[in-house]
Amino acid sequence: MTKQTRASAAVARNENEIAHWERSTDVLIVGLGGAGVCAALEASRLGADVLVLERTAAGGGTTALSGGLIYCGGGTSVQKACGFEDSPEEMFKYLMAACGPGPDETKIRLYSENSVEHFDWLVAQGVPFRGTFHPESGTEPPTQDGLIFSGSENAYPFSEIAKPAARGHHPAKEGAAGGFFMQKLLAALHKTNVTVQCNASCQSLVIDRDGAVVGAIVRIDQKEIAIRARRGVILAAGGFVNNKEMLRRYAPELLRCRFRVGCEGDDGSGIRMGLGAGADAIRMHAGSISLPYYPPKQLKKGILINRQGQRFINEDVYYGRAGEYALLRQEGKAYLIVDDEIYAKPLGGMELVAVGETASEIETTLGLAPGSLQSTLDFYNTHAARGEDPLFHKGKTELKPLTQAPLGALDLTCEKAIYAVFTLGGLRTAIDGEVFNPDGRMIPGLYAAGRTTSGLCAQGYSSGLSIADATYFGRRAGMAAAKNDTKKS
Amino acid sequence: MTKQTRASAAVARNENEIAHWERSTDVLIVGLGGAGVCAALEASRLGADVLVLERTAAGGGTTALSGGLIYCGGGTSVQKACGFEDSPEEMFKYLMAACGPGPDETKIRLYSENSVEHFDWLVAQGVPFRGTFHPESGTEPPTQDGLIFSGSENAYPFSEIAKPAARGHHPAKEGAAGGFFMQKLLAALHKTNVTVQCNASCQSLVIDRDGAVVGAIVRIDQKEIAIRARRGVILAAGGFVNNKEMLRRYAPELLRCRFRVGCEGDDGSGIRMGLGAGADAIRMHAGSISLPYYPPKQLKKGILINRQGQRFINEDVYYGRAGEYALLRQEGKAYLIVDDEIYAKPLGGMELVAVGETASEIETTLGLAPGSLQSTLDFYNTHAARGEDPLFHKGKTELKPLTQAPLGALDLTCEKAIYAVFTLGGLRTAIDGEVFNPDGRMIPGLYAAGRTTSGLCAQGYSSGLSIADATYFGRRAGMAAAKNDTKKS
C-alpha cells in the first residue's frame, strides 16, 4: 500500500489514495506517554470512541522513565499541607520569568489558573501524593514526600519577581516516580473502553482535499493499514532528542550532550508527521539542559566558573538553568570550585580534576589565566563573608567564603559531565491542542500535546514542567478532539 | 479566484483547482534582490525562459539597501592585488569556526572552493572592484577601496584557527555600495531576455498531486492569476525580520532589537510559501546581530562589560560577533568602558552615560556592584601594560591600560544602542537550492536562495556573507532550475 519507510514520517497522504479504511474511531491518539494517556482519558470521558496507538509493547513513554515530578501550583492541597502559600498570579509571574525568552503567555496564564484543578484531576485518576515537603531540592525525593522546590523559585531574580513556593509535586513513591505515575494513569485508562493498540507505529497522517486530517497510516504486524479518525488525530509522540539527524539540523548545541532524556520513541516522528500535514514548528533549537552539580546541596556553596575563571550565574538556581547557561553561554566549559569544607561527590558524578592549596594551583591545573580565579575568589569571598553576593545575588544561606584549603575543581565541561537534555521545540498549538499552520490557521482535525509541541517552556525549564504541560494540555486536546464535530462522520 | 489575503502565504494550492494558467514560463523566480537577480542571470544563460516577480516597483531587495560587501576569498584578484595570501582551505576553516554552532559544512566547503570563480563572475556581470585595501574594518569603506576585514579573521580564536585574510569585497563606490552593486547586476539582467514583472506579489505556490511545485498564484494589478513554471519556482523573497509576528514566534530575542535590516519584502512570505508546500525550515531563531561600537577603531581598545562588570569577549572581534554575545549571552545589557585617551563618539551613536575620575564613580552611575569594574580593570590594565590579554586574547595592537582619567561608559544596552539585526533562519536547501522536506527528501520543482533559506551562516555572522550566500547559491539555484527536466512540459 505504501513505499514509505518507517523513518519517513513527514509527508501526509491524500485521502483519495486510501482504497480501504481498515479501522475507524472518533479520536485517534498517537503515543501512550503522559500526554497520550491524559488525552485518551478525557476524550473517553466525553463519550468519544478512542483508539491509542503505541509503538512499543507497552505504554509509558518518557514520562515513565522520568523522575515523575509534576509542576503544579496556585494552592494545591499538597502545597497547603506543607505550609506554602501560593496563588495562580505568583505562579504565572514565576513561569513568565523562567520559561523564556518568549514564553507562551496564553498557555502559562491558563495553566497557572487551572493547575489546582489539574492536580486534583491527577489525584482523582488514582495518583497518590503525600502532603509532606522534602527540603532537598534539585532531584526527586528518595522518600515518598510529595513536594519539593524543583525550579529557581527561591533564587535570584525569581525570588524578587514572584513569591517563592515549592511546586514540584512528587507521587507517593520513593525516588524516581515516573513509572509509578504512568502505572496509575494507565490503570485508570484500563477502566475505560479506550482501545490501546501496542506495537503500532504511525507512519503518516492522511488529509482530505481541504487539508483536514482525517486519519493515519499505521504499521501493525508488518502491515500498513489506514485508520480513519472521525473527530481528530492527536499527536502525542514525544520530542526528538533521540534523532541525531534532527538535532544536527535544528538544535546542534544539544547534540554535544551525551545524556539524552528520552525513550526510543523520541525520534521526532510526531513533529515530522505534523509538519508533513502543513503544521508550523517553533523553538526547534530549544532544550532542557540539566547539569546536576548538586545534590548534595552543600555544593551550591561552591562557585561555577567559566574558562575565564569568572562566575556566570548564582549557583543556587535550578541546575537546569545553570546547565542552560553553561552550555549555551559558556560553550559548555565550566567548573565548580569548592573548598574542603563543602566538598562532596555530586550525585551527578562529576570528577574532581584539580586540587590545590591555593587558587593558583587550581589555575595551573585547569589552564586558567594566572590570577583569574584568584581575582574571582577574592571578590566572592570578601562579600560572602558579609553574606552578600553583589554580582549574582546568591541567597545568604548558600554563601560562605571558600577559604578552607585544599580547594578543588569539579569538571562540568560538556564532554565530561552529565548534561541531561531533551527537546522543547515542536508543533505550534493553541490551548486546546489545535495545531497551527505557518499562516496561523488551525489544521482541522489535528491536535498535539506533550513534547511533540512547543509548550509551557519556550526555552527555560524547571523540573516537572514537561509532565505538567503534557498531561494538562493532553487532557485539553483529548476534550477538544472528542467535541470536534466540524467534520462529517 | 481565491479568498486568500496577502498575509496568508503559506498554504499551497492544488493544481486541480487551477482553472486557467494565465501565463507560463520555464523558471519562475520570486523576488528580485541579490539572490533573484543571480538566479535569473544563470537560468537565462542556460537558455531557460525566465520570469521574475518583484513585489515593489523596482528590484533591489535588501541587498540594494546594504553596504554591499561580498564575502569572497581563497585568492581573489583583489586579495592578491592587496597582498593577501588566501586559500580555499583557510577560508573554509575560518567559516566553519565563525558560522556556527552547527554550520552547513557542505555549503561552506563548496563556497570556499568556488569563491574566486564567483567573484570573477560578479566582475564579469559588470560589478567593478578596485585592488586596494582599506585598513579600517567593521564598516564599508568611505572610499572606493575594494577590500576590508569584515569579520573576526584577525581576532582570537579565529586568528589561531585559520590564517587571517581580508575577505570583505567592496564594489568601487564610496561608502554603502549595495545599491550600486544591484544596479550593475540589474543592468546585466536587462541585457538578457528575462522578463521582470514588477508590482507582482506572489501569494502561494501551486503543487501537483505528487507534491511537486508547478507554479504560483500571483497578484498583479489587484488581480490574482496563476502562472505555470515548467521547470521550477525559485523562492528568493528575503527573510522575515520585518514580520513581528514571525519574530515573536521563532526568534523572540531579535524582536527586542529596534533596528531591523531589511526591506518591506522581508516579511517571511518566501519562507511561509515554502512551508506551505511541505518544506523544512531550520535555525529559525538565528540572526545576524550587529552592535557597531566601532569605528573609530580606537574604541576596540576599550573593554566591553556586562551587568556584573565582567568582560565577556575580546573587543577586537567583528562587532556582529560581539553583538551576538551581548544580546544572547548577556541579555542585551552591556557597556563599553573607555578612558580619555581613546574616547570618541562611535559611528553607531552610542551615548556616553557615565563619566568619572575613578572606576568607582562609573560603578555608582551604572549601578554596578562596588568594586566589580575596579577588579576587572585592575586585571585588564595590569596585563594590557604587558601587551597581554590572558582572558580573551585581544590582539596586542588593541591593548592599552585604561588609565587616563576620566573614564567613561558608552551605553550598549539593547533598548538604547543600535543592535542591527536580520534573520538567518529559513528553508533548508541542498547546494543547488533544492528545498528539502522534513523527511530529507527534495520537493520537486522547488528551489530557494538568499535569506529565504538557512545558508552559509547557521548563526555566527561576518559582514558580506549574506550577499555572498544569496548571490552564489542564487546562481546555483538558477542553473539547477533551468536544467530541471524531471517534469513534463
Side-chain angles (χ1 to χ4, degrees), chain B residues 37-38 41 121-122 125 127 181-189:
Chain B
V37 68
C38 292
L41 284 164
W121 182 86
L122 291 171
Q125 304 315 303
V127 184
F181 175 74
M182 279 304 296
Q183 209 173 61
K184 297 296 180 188
L185 291 178
L186 291 172
L189 189 69

Side-chain angles (χ1 to χ4, degrees), chain B residues 104-444:
Chain B
D104 187 324
E105 183 172 343
T106 310
K107 285 183 182 172
I108 287 177
R109 172 73 70 190
L110 189 74
Y111 182 60
S112 298
E113 286 170 357
N114 292 289
S115 183
V116 170
E117 181 278 332
H118 182 54
F119 177 76
D120 292 342
W121 182 86
L122 291 171
V123 171
Q125 304 315 303
V127 184
F129 293 90
R130 296 197 172 181
T132 52
F133 177 67
H134 185 76
E136 179 115 10
S137 65
T139 186
E140 52 277 1
T143 62
Q144 290 193 11
D145 289 332
L147 192 66
I148 63 162
F149 275 99
S150 65
S152 302
E153 299 85 355
N154 261 327
Y156 184 87
F158 308 101
S159 55
E160 301 193 352
I161 290 169
K163 186 178 172 191
R167 301 195 184 96
H169 286 67
H170 176 244
K173 164 84 184 170
E174 295 81 3
F180 175 75
F181 175 74
M182 279 304 296
Q183 209 173 61
K184 297 296 180 188
L185 291 178
L186 291 172
L189 189 69
H190 291 151
K191 292 182 200 146
T192 68
N193 55 8
V194 166
T195 306
V196 173
Q197 172 75 59
C198 287
N199 300 307
S201 168
C202 192
Q203 303 292 298
S204 58
L205 297 172
V206 178
I207 56 177
D208 71 12
R209 52 175 293 157
D210 297 322
V213 172
V214 294
I217 306 295
V218 183
R219 178 181 290 268
I220 303 174
D221 294 336
Q222 318 289 327
K223 186 168 158 251
E224 285 192 354
I225 63 168
I227 302 179
R228 188 162 176 229
R230 290 181 292 268
R231 291 179 178 267
V233 174
I234 302 175
L235 296 170
F240 62 96
V241 79
N242 280 324
N243 183 321
K244 285 193 186 182
E245 175 54 31
M246 285 182 76
L247 287 181
R248 190 169 291 119
R249 202 182 286 171
Y250 303 110
E253 284 154 315
L254 303 186
L255 192 60
R256 290 180 59 198
C257 305
R258 286 167 310 157
F259 196 85
R260 302 197 180 98
V261 181
C263 63
E264 183 202 339
D266 288 306
D267 68 351
S269 66
I271 294 170
R272 283 179 285 127
M273 283 189 277
L275 291 173
D280 192 17
I282 60 173
R283 313 297 166 87
M284 290 291 281
H285 64 295
S288 166
I289 304 157
S290 283
L291 176 60
Y293 56 93
Y294 63 84
K297 68 180 174 187
Q298 70 206 64
L299 289 170
K300 295 182 191 175
K301 293 179 178 167
I303 59 170
L304 290 169
I305 62 163
N306 61 18
R307 290 295 301 169
Q308 285 77 38
Q310 301 167 323
R311 290 175 71 212
F312 58 89
I313 198 164
N314 41 328
E315 294 80 3
D316 58 348
V317 290
Y318 171 54
Y319 56 55
R321 186 171 174 85
E324 187 184 318
Y325 274 53
L327 183 69
L328 304 182
R329 301 185 178 202
Q330 304 297 339
E331 325 273 356
K333 292 172 185 165
Y335 299 96
L336 181 71
I337 304 297
V338 296
D339 71 358
D340 199 48
E341 185 181 343
I342 64 165
Y343 173 69
K345 185 83 176 170
L347 283 193
M350 288 74 171
E351 293 290 330
L352 192 67
V353 288
V355 178
E357 292 300 309
T358 63
S360 174
E361 290 174 51
I362 303 285
E363 290 162 0
T364 303
T365 308
L366 300 182
L368 303 178
S372 59
L373 175 59
Q374 185 65 62
S375 169
T376 296
L377 274 173
D378 287 348
F379 194 92
Y380 179 78
N381 286 343
T382 302
H383 293 88
R386 299 183 216 137
E388 294 170 3
D389 175 16
L391 294 193
F392 294 98
H393 309 280
K394 183 154 74 169
K396 281 192 204 317
T397 56
E398 313 300 343
L399 284 169
K400 77 146 218 116
L402 300 173
T403 46
Q404 190 163 320
L407 300 173
L410 291 156
D411 193 347
L412 306 189
T413 55
C414 182
E415 286 67 28
K416 303 291 180 58
I418 287 186
Y419 282 62
V421 298
F422 59 88
T423 58
L424 291 172
L427 303 181
R428 186 161 74 92
T429 52
I431 55 171
D432 287 313
E434 309 97 319
V435 178
F436 288 112
N437 77 9
D439 287 337
R441 302 183 194 184
M442 291 164 183
I443 298 172

